Amino acid sequence: MKLILTTEVSGLGAPGDIVEVKDGYGRNYLIPRGFAIRWTRGGEKQIVSIRKARDAREIRDLGTAKEIAGQLGGLKVKLKTRAGESGRLFGSITTGDIAEAVKAAGGPQLDRRRIEIANAIKSLGSHRVSVKLHPEVSAALDVEVVSA
C-alpha cells in the first residue's frame, strides 16, 4: 500500500514522504490515526504543502542543530506545577509544557513533537528528557519540576 505521511513516524519517514507499507499497517494504524493519507495523483499536490510546513518547522542543517543542542545543554529549566504533599503531581507534565518552559527560560523555540519523554513525569524533582533536533543530533535536557 502506498501512503503519504502527514506526520513524522519513527522508523518510517517524515511528513510528505511517500512510503510503501503492508496493507494492515496502513489501513488499521497509520490512516485512522491521521499519520498518513492514501497516495493518489491528487495527493501528490498535498505533498508540496506538507513539505513547506515541515521546512518551516525543521531546523535547517546539522550545524544549527548542534548549536541549539549546546544551548539546551547549559539551560536550567524549571516547571512550577501543583502537587500533593507526597510529591505526586495533579496530572503530568506534557511535551507542550516543556517546550513553553524552555522558551520562558531563554532557550530556543522547540516543536513539542521533537521532545521525547521516556517515562511520564508525574512527580516533583529533576527529570531528563530528550530533544530530537535533527536526524543525527539529539540533546538531553534536565527539567526541574517544583511545587507551585
Side-chain angles (χ1 to χ4, degrees), residues 45-89:
K45 294 174 184 148
Q46 290 181 322
I47 291 175
V48 175
S49 64
I50 291 171
R51 286 196 174 141
K52 280 183 185 176
R54 178 178 73 182
D55 289 343
R57 281 193 312 266
E58 196 172 273
I59 295 171
R60 294 286 171 228
D61 60 0
L62 188 61
T64 309
K66 287 183 179 179
E67 183 179 311
I68 291 174
Q71 290 176 357
L72 290 175
L75 200 61
K76 303 289 183 206
V77 178
K78 275 195 175 184
L79 275 164
K80 289 186 179 182
T81 187
R82 291 182 29 183
E85 290 181 22
S86 64
R88 256 180 92 73
L89 302 181

Side-chain angles (χ1 to χ4, degrees), residues 9-74:
V9 179
S10 178
L12 196 56
D17 289 350
I18 299 172
V19 294
E20 183 82 30
V21 297
K22 299 237 183 212
D23 290 347
Y25 182 51
R27 199 173 42 246
N28 299 327
Y29 181 73
L30 295 173
I31 293 174
R33 286 176 174 75
F35 295 154
I37 56 174
R38 289 188 185 275
W39 178 87
T40 60
R41 283 195 258 313
E44 288 280 342
K45 294 174 184 148
Q46 290 181 322
I47 291 175
V48 175
S49 64
I50 291 171
R51 286 196 174 141
K52 280 183 185 176
R54 178 178 73 182
D55 289 343
R57 281 193 312 266
E58 196 172 273
I59 295 171
R60 294 286 171 228
D61 60 0
L62 188 61
T64 309
K66 287 183 179 179
E67 183 179 311
I68 291 174
Q71 290 176 357
L72 290 175

Side-chain angles (χ1 to χ4, degrees), residues 65 69 72 114 116 130-141:
L72 290 175
R114 300 240 180 241
E116 299 170 350
S130 173
V131 182
K132 189 173 183 182
L133 299 168
H134 189 270
E136 299 172 18
V137 179
S138 236
L141 178 65

